[in-house]
Amino acid sequence: IFLYQVAHVDTVKNSYNTFENNEISGFGYGIVSLGIGPLINRATLEYDRYYNVENKIQGNLIYNVERSGIFLGFEENTIAKQNRIYNTKATKTDKTFGIEMGIETETTPLRFGYNNVGIILDGNEISDVQASKLVAGISAFQDGQLYPSVQGGQEFFPNTNENFKFYNNIITRL
């Protein structure tokens, strides 16, 4: 969107979406929910978290995927519960996960990582996760990032407590 020859970012958050009772197989990922991340609010000249908010991922059957059954990045107060994830098998890379939250920054090529806040994982069943190097039923990697402030200094994200809650998850055959 352009106003007076200046580009303005569309800052609509993905909020209150439900992914429920789906059967997903044969893809690189099962379900991906990826927010925008920290952006400067033009009115306040401060960073705001433009994370996806209050989404629900529930009761899905996810199998035969390459990287992750569920991936969450720049996500806030999302619930993933009662999902069955199996046979995530890395054939193109050396790592795979049942549920992957966040990812680290890489320098070659430059790719910034992700973090999350307020995630609840409850009653998920994850099995048969296979890769040659890195395997996890649940990976919760927080890539903390420093952003230059318009008013001077830097701001760290996530700028609030992570507040993760993991309950009643079953992970077998890694």
Side-chain angles (χ1 to χ4, degrees):
I1 301 171
F2 288 89
L3 179 63
Y4 307 111
Q5 303 298 322
V6 177
H8 297 280
V9 179
D10 178 3
T11 54
V12 176
K13 299 176 184 181
N14 277 319
S15 302
Y16 308 101
N17 296 301
T18 299
F19 304 88
E20 189 169 13
N21 297 325
N22 299 290
E23 183 173 338
I24 302 166
S25 69
F27 294 96
Y29 293 84
I31 295 172
V32 175
S33 188
L34 187 58
I36 297 170
L39 290 177
I40 295 175
N41 181 318
R42 283 186 343 149
T44 64
L45 294 180
E46 306 237 342
Y47 282 98
D48 285 339
R49 287 191 311 273
Y50 287 93
Y51 290 23
N52 292 345
V53 179
E54 304 277 344
N55 294 311
K56 182 170 76 170
I57 302 168
Q58 177 177 339
N60 298 289
L61 177 62
I62 302 168
Y63 59 96
N64 296 339
V65 294
E66 174 77 23
R67 172 68 184 235
S68 301
I70 297 171
F71 179 86
L72 304 175
F74 293 138
E75 195 81 16
E76 185 169 354
N77 297 332
T78 287
I79 298 172
K81 67 180 187 176
Q82 300 169 340
N83 297 289
R84 170 76 176 99
I85 302 166
Y86 68 93
N87 199 29
T88 59
K89 185 173 184 179
T91 60
K92 307 286 186 225
T93 66
D94 58 0
K95 50 189 155 192
T96 189
F97 312 95
I99 298 175
E100 184 177 11
M101 298 171 28
I103 193 170
E104 63 189 315
T105 295
E106 293 186 6
T107 55
T108 309
L110 181 59
R111 183 191 74 214
F112 292 103
Y114 304 105
N115 55 66
N116 299 282
V117 295
I119 304 299
I120 297 174
L121 303 181
D122 182 11
N124 298 289
E125 185 179 340
I126 301 165
S127 63
D128 299 310
V129 180
Q130 305 168 29
S132 63
K133 184 176 178 185
L134 182 58
V135 171
I138 297 172
S139 172
F141 189 90
Q142 288 291 85
D143 189 58
Q145 301 164 350
L146 283 174
Y147 291 85
S149 174
V150 173
Q151 300 171 355
Q154 295 180 320
E155 188 165 351
F156 182 81
F157 278 85
N159 61 352
T160 188
N161 294 330
E162 283 95 353
N163 199 27
F164 294 154
K165 295 181 174 88
F166 301 166
Y167 309 105
N168 307 311
N169 298 289
I170 299 171
I171 300 169
T172 60
R173 294 188 302 276
L174 299 182

